[in-house]
Amino acid sequence: LGLKANTAAGESGDEETDSDSTDGNDEESESRKNEGENTGMGNDGRKRRAKITNTMLLPSNVIYKNAIKAIPNNVSFRLRFIEICRLFPQTKCLENYILETIERDFGEDVEAWVARISYAQEEMKRKSRAGKTMSKMGSIGFLAKIDSNGTRESGESNTDDRPSKKARVEEKKDPDPALSLLHEALEAVPTAKMYLECTRFLRIRIRLLREYSPDGNNNTHQGDDDDDEDGQNDTSFLLYEDEDAESAAQRHALLLERLYANAKDKNLSSPSLTLDQVDYLLDNGKPTEAEFLLSQTLSDSNTTKNHVHLWLKWAELSERMISAGMSPSLPPVVILRRAFKHTPIHEREAHLLFLTNLMKSLMLRSSSSEREAAEKENELKGLFQQLLLLSRGSMYAIDDPTKTKSKEGDSIDEENESGEKV
């Protein structure tokens, strides 16, 4: 198998293009400067390139290179290779190489950026968990910690006449690589979709931080993991030095609000991004601000296309505010009437949604006088007639199977009661 793998690697190398061979020479020169996994920063400040240093992974690397040559423009396909790598040990350098190719070939792809941010956060969590494991093992035997006086925790002296070595000065590491990638993603792909993915990422972090300490004692740096042996719910890796969970949640909330403001300043908006911001405001107990955002977004719109969920959310929020004793800008009936009025009948699904919700809202609404009750009854009659017509019209919809064509391209013949073709 080893001979076959080496032969395959050699054949694959012969089939490389000139540009690929140039990249290979660059990687070899980098490997001579840096041993092991080249995932950090070099002395000259340039980003090191990932290098496959484990010879056992060379066949897998060859398979991956040939696969992305056959399927070059599918980022999901490449991400599947990372999932496979994580099923086996000692594949970190291959994962780094795959991520490097994704960064190189999909610099403007939202899915690729989201994957890189997610993997960066997973790496932060893995390192935090490994650090905690080593700290627990540090008091055992030869792994016992040594204090500044050269004394072990067990009380044994470790001093001798040998001169002490200078501690290696380590480069300052980024405390949160995932957030750094998030800012890079917004600069590289400043679209509403990218802002939506980033805001969702931050909202998940805020929720995890707030759920981590529900009793209000947010000092999670020294908490033990007895109740969470696998560390799945541990969010201490999201905290900066001397920071508790609530402070970290507030820091993420400020960043999230800044993203919403930047998207608005850049005129980057979408129904999904607006709904995301509305949900964030409601989660933080700000229904008035959420209602104002919806009204401001929809007031200048004369169409309901792609805004169906915004209108329904506005009507639902208005109803909730009235139930809570608050005063919304418009009652839900008025909102649904406006939405129903601006929805053409050929937008069938949206038209029926507004029609049924308007009927429900009218039936639940109490009448203060006989005149108002009569007006409501007449309006409900008209709406019910439209509902019947639309339901009857569904028999002659475009997607009716009796109107489709056969495999030969001829129309399916229908027969009347006498058996004649029509």
Side-chain angles (χ1 to χ4, degrees), residues 206 210 253 256-257 278-287:
I206 293 171
R210 288 177 175 169
L256 177 60
E257 292 171 2
V278 167
D279 290 337
Y280 167 72
L281 292 171
L282 292 176
D283 290 342
N284 287 271
K286 300 178 179 179

Side-chain angles (χ1 to χ4, degrees), residues 366-394:
S366 59
S367 303
S368 58
S369 62
E370 293 184 0
R371 179 181 178 182
E372 185 178 349
E375 291 176 353
K376 184 178 74 172
E377 184 178 354
N378 291 333
E379 185 176 4
L380 281 171
K381 281 183 180 180
L383 293 174
F384 187 67
Q385 290 175 356
Q386 293 186 50
L387 181 61
L388 288 177
L389 290 173
L390 289 173
S391 301
R392 187 175 179 81
S394 63

Side-chain angles (χ1 to χ4, degrees), residues 57-102:
L57 295 177
L58 289 177
S60 302
N61 189 34
V62 171
I63 293 172
Y64 174 73
K65 285 184 176 180
N66 290 333
I68 63 176
K69 281 184 179 179
I71 308 176
N73 299 322
N74 192 332
V75 65
S76 300
F77 177 67
R78 300 194 188 191
L79 294 175
R80 285 286 295 155
F81 280 91
I82 295 182
E83 296 177 11
I84 294 173
C85 285
R86 296 193 170 186
L87 298 176
F88 303 92
Q90 301 178 5
T91 57
K92 184 61 183 175
C93 56
L94 183 56
E95 290 182 32
N96 290 337
Y97 178 76
I98 295 172
L99 287 173
E100 184 183 279
T101 62
I102 292 175

Side-chain angles (χ1 to χ4, degrees), residues 277-300:
Q277 187 174 0
V278 167
D279 290 337
Y280 167 72
L281 292 171
L282 292 176
D283 290 342
N284 287 271
K286 300 178 179 179
T288 304
E289 289 85 344
E291 201 259 349
F292 176 75
L293 176 62
L294 287 169
S295 62
Q296 188 180 35
T297 304
L298 295 170
S299 59
D300 298 331

Side-chain angles (χ1 to χ4, degrees), residues 395-407:
M395 297 172 56
Y396 306 98
I398 297 176
D399 56 352
D400 187 357
T402 60
K403 299 294 182 180
T404 58
K405 293 185 178 181
S406 63
K407 294 182 180 179

Side-chain angles (χ1 to χ4, degrees), residues 118-134:
S118 300
Y119 288 136
Q121 176 162 298
E122 291 177 12
E123 185 67 11
M124 290 170 58
K125 189 172 185 178
R126 184 191 66 81
K127 288 182 178 179
S128 175
R129 194 181 306 168
K132 288 184 178 181
T133 303
M134 290 302 297

Side-chain angles (χ1 to χ4, degrees), residues 18-82:
D18 294 337
S19 59
D20 293 334
S21 62
T22 303
D23 292 340
N25 293 333
D26 293 338
E27 292 178 359
E28 291 176 2
S29 62
E30 287 291 332
S31 64
R32 283 192 291 268
K33 294 179 182 178
N34 308 288
E35 296 180 355
E37 296 180 6
N38 299 330
T39 57
M41 299 296 294
N43 295 330
D44 56 355
R46 293 179 301 174
K47 186 175 182 181
R48 297 177 184 173
R49 301 187 61 184
K51 179 67 177 178
I52 307 300
T53 57
N54 189 345
T55 55
M56 295 180 63
L57 295 177
L58 289 177
S60 302
N61 189 34
V62 171
I63 293 172
Y64 174 73
K65 285 184 176 180
N66 290 333
I68 63 176
K69 281 184 179 179
I71 308 176
N73 299 322
N74 192 332
V75 65
S76 300
F77 177 67
R78 300 194 188 191
L79 294 175
R80 285 286 295 155
F81 280 91
I82 295 182

Side-chain angles (χ1 to χ4, degrees), residues 101-359:
T101 62
I102 292 175
E103 178 183 1
R104 179 191 65 199
D105 300 334
F106 299 93
E108 296 183 357
D109 189 275
V110 174
E111 184 181 358
W113 279 105
V114 171
R116 291 175 58 196
I117 293 171
S118 300
Y119 288 136
Q121 176 162 298
E122 291 177 12
E123 185 67 11
M124 290 170 58
K125 189 172 185 178
R126 184 191 66 81
K127 288 182 178 179
S128 175
R129 194 181 306 168
K132 288 184 178 181
T133 303
M134 290 302 297
S135 65
K136 290 180 180 180
M137 296 174 60
S139 58
I140 303 175
F142 65 92
L143 294 175
K145 296 180 180 178
I146 309 297
D147 60 17
S148 59
N149 296 324
T151 304
R152 294 179 183 269
E153 290 184 349
S154 58
E156 299 177 359
S157 177
N158 194 44
T159 56
D160 53 20
D161 297 333
R162 290 178 296 178
S164 59
K165 294 182 179 179
K166 273 190 175 181
R168 180 179 297 177
V169 179
E170 295 184 358
E171 297 178 1
K172 188 177 181 181
K173 295 182 180 179
D174 187 355
D176 199 332
L179 284 185
S180 300
L181 275 176
L182 183 143
H183 291 297
E184 292 181 19
L186 292 174
E187 292 180 1
V189 190
T191 62
K193 184 178 180 181
M194 179 60 79
Y195 271 88
L196 175 63
E197 295 294 341
C198 292
T199 55
R200 285 175 174 173
F201 176 79
L202 291 175
R203 287 188 63 201
I204 291 174
R205 276 194 169 193
I206 293 171
R207 177 177 57 81
L208 291 175
L209 286 167
R210 288 177 175 169
E211 289 178 353
Y212 189 72
S213 53
D215 56 350
N217 184 11
N218 299 318
N219 190 8
T220 58
H221 275 298
Q222 298 177 351
D224 54 69
D225 294 332
D226 294 338
D227 297 333
D228 184 20
E229 295 180 358
D230 297 332
Q232 296 298 326
N233 299 322
D234 182 22
T235 56
S236 59
F237 67 95
L238 298 176
L239 310 181
Y240 288 168
E241 188 176 358
D242 299 328
E243 184 181 44
D244 58 23
E246 185 61 30
S247 300
Q250 292 176 1
R251 172 168 55 84
H252 283 80
L254 290 174
L255 176 58
L256 177 60
E257 292 171 2
R258 210 158 45 234
L259 291 189
Y260 287 133
N262 290 341
K264 182 179 179 181
D265 293 340
K266 295 179 180 180
N267 199 23
L268 299 173
S269 64
S270 69
S272 298
L273 183 59
T274 303
L275 284 174
D276 186 81
Q277 187 174 0
V278 167
D279 290 337
Y280 167 72
L281 292 171
L282 292 176
D283 290 342
N284 287 271
K286 300 178 179 179
T288 304
E289 289 85 344
E291 201 259 349
F292 176 75
L293 176 62
L294 287 169
S295 62
Q296 188 180 35
T297 304
L298 295 170
S299 59
D300 298 331
S301 177
N302 293 325
T303 178
T304 57
K305 188 175 182 180
N306 300 327
H307 290 78
V308 177
H309 296 291
L310 292 181
W311 286 100
L312 294 177
K313 188 71 174 182
W314 188 9
E316 177 191 353
L317 179 57
S318 177
E319 185 69 34
R320 288 168 57 183
M321 292 178 68
I322 292 175
S323 301
M326 305 174 69
S327 300
S329 59
L330 290 175
V333 172
V334 176
I335 296 171
L336 292 171
R337 281 173 182 163
R338 184 180 297 180
F340 183 68
K341 177 182 178 181
H342 292 302
T343 306
I345 196 170
H346 63 265
E347 294 180 13
R348 187 180 192 83
E349 184 177 357
H351 197 82
L352 284 173
L353 273 173
F354 292 136
L355 191 152
T356 53
N357 278 274
L358 178 56
M359 291 179 65

